[in-house]
Amino acid sequence: MKTIGMIGGMSWESTADYYRILNRETQRRLGGIHSAKALLWSFDFGEIEALQSAGDWEGAAGRLVGAGRALVQAGAEFLMICCNTMHVMADAVEQGAGVPLLHIATPLGAAIAEQGLTQVGVLGTTYTLQSDFLSAPLARDYGIELITPTGEDARETHRIIYEELTRGRFLASSRAFFAEAIGRLAKRGAEGIVLGCTELPLLVKPDDSPAPLFDTGALHALAAVDMALA
């Protein structure tokens, strides 16, 4: 079994879910009391969010590269960034750490393609929606087009993620908002919905969507188990 290097804490709410999935799935596959071999670097998300808000993506990348190198020095054989938004710097982390990095778009694209879908909606932070770290590999490798929310749907999604979900607040009113936002994406042609923030599945459930949901964090964690046991 390979040792997984987890770059997490962005936020810890979803990192905890990653850790649970990694261990439960490893135990399911190997039986007994087996669990995942993993090293976790958990950031103080307040420090990372301050860099995001300031637009200091170079500074944020430096922090993640440093974390990746430390994990490799401690014995990690491959890395994963337990967050969608910070995949903006995935290439820099992989190159800086010198070991493979399991990109969050890889298992996501495979799961969407397996269902035969070619056009899906995506919910996520403003940073994720404005970047191409999901849309580019999905289009290139799987022919999948992403439909992004606009206007108030995009702004409110970002607000809920940072002001509620990363703080452990899961409100019925916000769940109702996401159900409506998903409905609007479906009306624009979305055949499925990508929960493109690892906190979203903590609130948004299959009953909230008329189309299949794709939980990026869970898919990423399961793919890490595949890689660790390969």
Side-chain angles (χ1 to χ4, degrees):
M1 188 192 311
K2 296 184 182 70
T3 300
I4 306 166
M6 303 169 63
I7 302 176
M10 303 172 291
S11 70
W12 76 263
E13 294 282 351
S14 60
T15 300
D17 217 32
Y18 263 87
Y19 187 68
R20 177 186 59 80
I21 294 169
L22 287 173
N23 285 292
R24 288 295 185 202
E25 183 64 11
T26 301
Q27 184 181 51
R28 187 189 71 80
R29 297 192 195 184
L30 299 182
I33 57 173
H34 285 287
S35 57
K37 291 174 62 177
L39 296 167
L40 170 61
W41 183 288
S42 188
F43 277 105
D44 172 0
F45 190 44
E47 297 176 359
I48 298 299
E49 191 277 332
L51 294 171
Q52 292 175 340
S53 295
D56 187 4
W57 294 97
E58 183 176 348
R63 297 291 299 277
L64 264 69
V65 169
R69 286 174 174 164
L71 288 168
V72 171
Q73 289 172 358
E77 294 168 87
F78 69 93
L79 300 175
M80 62 190 310
I81 300 172
C82 304
C83 168
N84 277 273
T85 294
M86 301 309 279
H87 274 75
V88 168
M89 55 213 57
D91 289 345
V93 173
E94 183 172 52
Q95 292 168 12
V99 298
L101 181 142
L102 176 59
H103 198 288
I104 203 165
T106 303
L108 172 63
I112 296 170
E114 186 177 11
Q115 294 200 28
L117 309 183
T118 58
Q119 191 169 249
V120 296
V122 60
L123 295 170
T125 68
T126 299
Y127 310 124
T128 292
L129 299 183
Q130 292 176 347
S131 176
D132 67 351
F133 68 82
L134 285 179
S135 60
L138 292 182
R140 180 189 66 235
D141 299 333
Y142 300 97
I144 295 167
E145 175 190 356
L146 288 184
I147 301 173
T148 58
T150 58
E152 185 61 21
D153 281 355
R155 288 189 291 272
E156 183 65 359
T157 296
H158 185 91
R159 185 197 70 77
I160 290 171
I161 290 169
Y162 278 89
E163 296 183 12
E164 296 177 17
L165 304 187
T166 61
R167 305 178 190 205
R169 300 177 64 208
F170 307 105
L171 307 181
S173 57
S174 295
R175 186 177 178 187
F177 159 76
F178 282 122
E180 294 174 0
I182 286 170
R184 286 186 280 274
L185 288 170
K187 287 180 180 178
R188 290 170 55 196
E191 303 166 310
I193 302 296
V194 174
L195 299 180
C197 169
T198 53
E199 276 74 38
L200 285 173
L202 302 175
L203 177 67
V204 181
K205 305 302 178 183
D207 289 347
D208 300 318
S209 176
L213 294 180
F214 295 92
D215 178 342
T216 51
L219 291 168
H220 198 201
L222 293 173
V225 176
D226 288 339
M227 195 166 177
L229 298 180

